[in-house]
Amino acid sequence: MKLFTKYMTRNDCYTAGRKITPKGIMVHSTAVPGVMAAEWFSRWNKSYKAGEINRQVCVHAFVDDKEVWQYLPWDHRGWHAGGAANNTHIGFEICEPAGFSYKSGSVMVGYDAAKQEDYFFKAWQNAVELCVMLCREYGLDENDIICHSEGYKLGIASNHADVMHWFPKHGENMDTFRKAVKKALENSTDNNTDIGIGDMVEFKVSVKNYYPGSVEVPTWVKNDYYHRVTQTLYKGKPVIKGGKECVLLGKKVKKSGGQEIAGINTWVAKENLVIVNSIPDNKGNRTYTVQKGDTLWRIAEKELGRGTRYPEIKKLNGLTSDTIYPGQVLKLPE
């Protein structure tokens, strides 16, 4: 999951400055075909009070098949539920693909499920991983996740159909979504590591095969490169090979310097890998790969001993803002 942060500071919801203690997560979908996550900033970073937009609305994030864009702090009170859930729930929207239209508000016209299957499950996967990250951050679990239509039935949200007008077209529903989140949470606990999209990993020294029954791992794959995880699910479900859950290694990272290039594109058992957080570069600097939930302050606190040293990281990496995202490689000062 690639997470980008860019707060909608012009939106009246942001300037209201109200905070919440998140007790749950509400899943929405946009009902605006073809508008992807990054495009919503220009649409909604406007003030209703100033007459710049005709809606009083703002969600915490948008998700599509490639990335997640966070537009409000997670503990900021959003305007997404149309009810009491605004006081308790983080809300995010899953973007819908182009190629169809709506009638009667929630009826998809011309939606080709087979054609859109690849998009749907990639967006589903990013939504699952976002929920996993938020559950860990705020002590939640899969039972704390609902969609907008479920919120309406509970009396804490306005009357909207999402996401149950869309998920069933791909054989899914909120129960299967919650199961996918639960599975991901359990796997990270059982393995004592959370290997996810964007993580940099390396093979354990003792590893012989990619997974039980597969071909032998070449020496150069283990000795010369770290690897970047680019996929953890297929069609919304874990990939099992040789009886082991696997992740896809889609990029290689040279151990000598950290250059990132095309990968081996091979599914590998998670138990054969370990996460790599920092590597030396050619200039003698250490590097750190940004993990889910990281901030510059947290990285400085963990790697440099004091959170107040975060400006040194910004300067060394030429950053003009505090925005970082999982998978990003940062140089660390000595």
Side-chain angles (χ1 to χ4, degrees):
M1 180 185 72
K2 292 182 179 179
L3 175 63
F4 301 89
T5 301
K6 190 177 184 180
Y7 295 150
M8 290 185 176
T9 56
R10 283 289 300 164
N11 192 291
D12 298 327
C13 176
Y14 181 89
T15 58
R18 293 183 61 182
K19 295 294 184 179
I20 63 170
T21 300
K23 301 296 184 183
I25 302 167
M26 182 171 284
V27 184
H28 306 261
S29 66
T30 61
V32 183
V35 181
M36 296 294 103
E39 299 174 72
W40 286 93
F41 184 84
S42 61
R43 286 175 168 245
W44 281 8
N45 188 37
K46 300 175 182 179
S47 169
Y48 176 85
K49 292 179 180 178
E52 298 169 348
I53 190 173
N54 63 2
R55 298 182 66 193
Q56 292 181 295
V57 62
C58 199
V59 297
H60 294 86
F62 284 83
V63 177
D64 62 29
D65 62 328
K66 295 182 174 62
E67 55 201 20
V68 177
W69 280 84
Q70 180 188 2
Y71 292 132
L72 287 176
W74 302 123
D75 64 347
H76 194 104
R77 184 181 184 273
W79 295 348
H80 61 90
N86 284 339
N87 300 320
T88 53
H89 283 62
I90 295 168
F92 70 86
E93 298 265 2
I94 304 177
C95 299
E96 299 176 12
F100 70 100
S101 61
Y102 274 94
K103 73 174 183 180
S104 302
S106 62
V107 179
M108 291 173 147
V109 179
Y111 185 82
D112 188 334
K115 182 179 179 181
Q116 301 294 356
E117 184 174 87
D118 183 64
Y119 174 91
F120 176 83
F121 281 109
K122 286 180 178 178
W124 164 285
Q125 177 179 339
N126 280 335
V128 167
E129 296 201 2
L130 175 59
C131 285
V132 169
M133 183 193 81
L134 293 172
C135 283
R136 293 199 193 97
E137 183 76 13
Y138 292 102
L140 307 175
D141 63 29
E142 73 281 356
N143 298 309
D144 299 309
I145 303 170
I146 58 175
C147 70
H148 197 149
S149 59
E150 290 177 320
Y152 173 68
K153 293 177 182 178
L154 291 170
I156 58 173
S158 56
N159 188 6
H160 282 244
D162 55 325
V163 293
M164 289 306 297
H165 73 300
W166 183 24
F167 279 18
K169 294 182 183 298
H170 294 276
E172 305 293 348
N173 54 49
M174 281 305 296
D175 286 334
T176 60
F177 183 83
R178 283 184 281 265
K179 286 180 181 178
V181 173
K182 179 182 180 183
K183 177 69 173 178
L185 287 168
E186 289 175 345
N187 285 342
S188 64
T189 299
D190 293 342
N191 293 331
N192 206 26
T193 59
D194 172 28
I195 297 179
I197 291 177
D199 285 337
M200 185 166 64
V201 298
E202 68 175 332
F203 285 83
K204 295 178 180 178
V205 175
S206 59
V207 168
K208 301 296 183 183
N209 304 89
Y210 290 111
Y211 53 84
S214 73
V215 298
E216 185 174 349
V217 181
T219 301
W220 63 268
V221 171
K222 292 200 293 184
N223 294 347
D224 298 342
Y225 295 94
Y226 300 113
H227 302 269
R228 187 80 66 195
V229 176
T230 57
Q231 192 172 338
T232 59
L233 305 175
Y234 180 72
K235 293 187 177 181
K237 297 177 175 59
V239 173
I240 308 298
K241 291 180 176 291
K244 302 295 182 181
E245 184 171 348
C246 297
V247 295
L248 185 70
L249 304 186
K251 292 184 180 180
K252 300 193 298 287
V253 182
K254 287 187 177 181
K255 289 187 176 181
S256 57
Q259 181 185 4
E260 192 162 300
I261 56 179
I264 60 175
N265 288 314
T266 300
W267 290 95
V268 179
K270 291 173 69 173
E271 67 180 26
N272 290 345
L273 305 168
V274 293
I275 293 176
V276 178
N277 285 329
S278 61
I279 59 174
D281 68 10
N282 289 332
K283 297 180 181 180
N285 292 111
R286 289 186 300 140
T287 65
Y288 177 87
T289 301
V290 179
Q291 309 295 307
K292 301 180 189 70
D294 273 344
T295 63
L296 289 173
W297 180 283
R298 289 180 185 176
I299 294 171
E301 191 173 53
K302 179 168 57 175
E303 298 294 326
L304 306 180
R306 297 195 311 276
T308 53
R309 292 188 63 186
Y310 81 91
E312 297 176 42
I313 301 177
K314 288 182 65 174
K315 182 178 179 180
L316 184 61
N317 290 276
L319 300 178
T320 58
S321 74
D322 293 345
T323 300
I324 55 176
Y325 56 88
Q328 184 177 5
V329 178
L330 299 175
K331 296 177 183 179
L332 297 177
E334 297 300 317

